[in-house]
Amino acid sequence: MAKSRFQYVLPDHHVEYGVEVDIDTLKFDEDAQRGLNVKRAKSIADGLIVDALGSIVVSERADGNRYVVDGMHRTEACRIRGLRTLKAEIHYGLNQQQEATLFLIKNRESAKVSTLDEYKVGLTAGDALCVSVDNVLKRHALGLGSSSTNSVGAVSAVLRITRQYGAEVLDRTLKVVEAAWGRDKESWDGVILGGVAMFLHRHGSGVDDSELAKKILKRGLAARWRSEALTRASNGGYNNSGTGSRESQCYQMVIESWNKGRTAANRVG
């Protein structure tokens, strides 16, 4: 995974290693880590080698309940196989937010944690970037993680826009694309969001969002915008087209749309 966006800070607390724990006493808190994939757990159970299980990571909260922080699927696999106990590294006195941070710490070098998983756990951990993104999405009644009329599938793009340009630019970007094309999954495309956000970041102080949306719509629907950006970035198929290149081409298209019909003195870019 690329360099993490999240801050990993935990209070001093007591930790015990190699503790034998009863599997039936362990709970899962899916707000503090990714969700359980039953199919994956069954696959692990089918090929389970007990001697190679290692230790799971468990948090024992102040109320005495124990929650698996890392090793959820190994735990469920053992439950499926009928095992009674597991070796665990137990952390004492952490709350849910701190458990989410511990999960990120334990998985920060692992490619198995998706950007969406990291975002969801980061939100529980109170990470500033994740909270900012969540606040903006809620204002627009949008979810994050799947492409639909009411959810943005471009998780990396949304996080990158907020990290590079700030939550206000993300807010304006979503406002502009919705005003232009409505609530359609094509509207929330990552290339388009990135290009519009780049424009607003660089030139937004003198731009009326409603006017920008109208000018964008005149050029065509969202699907056409994405297709043109990809074609321009690949030079008609002769060049490789990375995300940054496609967003840059979309940004140029926004400039062209905004400048159309304007005098030289009122153009940007």
Side-chain angles (χ1 to χ4, degrees), residues 9-79:
V9 180
L10 281 176
D12 289 336
H13 62 283
H14 179 57
V15 182
E16 290 183 351
Y17 300 91
V19 180
E20 199 82 20
V21 295
D22 185 341
I23 292 175
D24 287 339
T25 67
L26 300 176
K27 302 176 183 291
F28 300 146
D29 184 343
E30 295 188 2
D31 288 329
Q33 59 165 291
R34 81 192 110 203
L36 177 66
N37 183 326
V38 177
K39 184 177 179 180
R40 181 184 172 198
K42 289 180 178 177
S43 177
I44 293 173
D46 289 341
L48 190 66
I49 301 174
V50 176
D51 292 339
L53 276 173
S55 293
I56 62 171
V57 179
V58 172
S59 169
E60 183 173 311
R61 297 181 184 174
D63 61 7
N65 285 314
R66 289 179 169 178
Y67 289 85
V68 179
V69 174
D70 188 54
M72 172 193 289
H73 291 93
R74 282 177 289 159
T75 302
E76 185 63 18
C78 288
R79 200 192 311 272

Side-chain angles (χ1 to χ4, degrees), residues 34-35 53 74 79-80 101 107 138 145 147 149 153 166 177 192 206 209 224 228 231 237-238 255 262 264:
R34 81 192 110 203
L53 276 173
R74 282 177 289 159
R79 200 192 311 272
I80 292 170
T101 300
N107 288 277
K138 283 179 177 176
S147 296
T149 55
V177 298
I192 294 172
D209 293 349
R224 179 182 173 185
E228 184 176 345
T231 300
Y238 288 100
I255 290 179
R262 293 181 177 276

Side-chain angles (χ1 to χ4, degrees), residues 144-161:
L144 187 65
S146 61
S147 296
S148 68
T149 55
N150 295 313
S151 180
V152 181
V155 181
S156 295
V158 167
L159 291 168
R160 184 174 63 255
I161 289 167

Side-chain angles (χ1 to χ4, degrees), residues 105-148:
I105 291 172
K106 292 294 183 180
N107 288 277
R108 60 183 167 185
E109 303 299 334
S110 173
K112 64 185 179 181
V113 182
S114 71
T115 303
L116 179 60
D117 282 335
E118 196 171 5
Y119 164 75
K120 288 179 176 179
V121 178
L123 186 60
T124 299
D127 177 82
L129 173 64
C130 297
V131 171
S132 294
V133 169
D134 184 60
N135 288 337
V136 172
L137 292 173
K138 283 179 177 176
R139 283 200 291 274
H140 292 267
L142 285 168
L144 187 65
S146 61
S147 296
S148 68

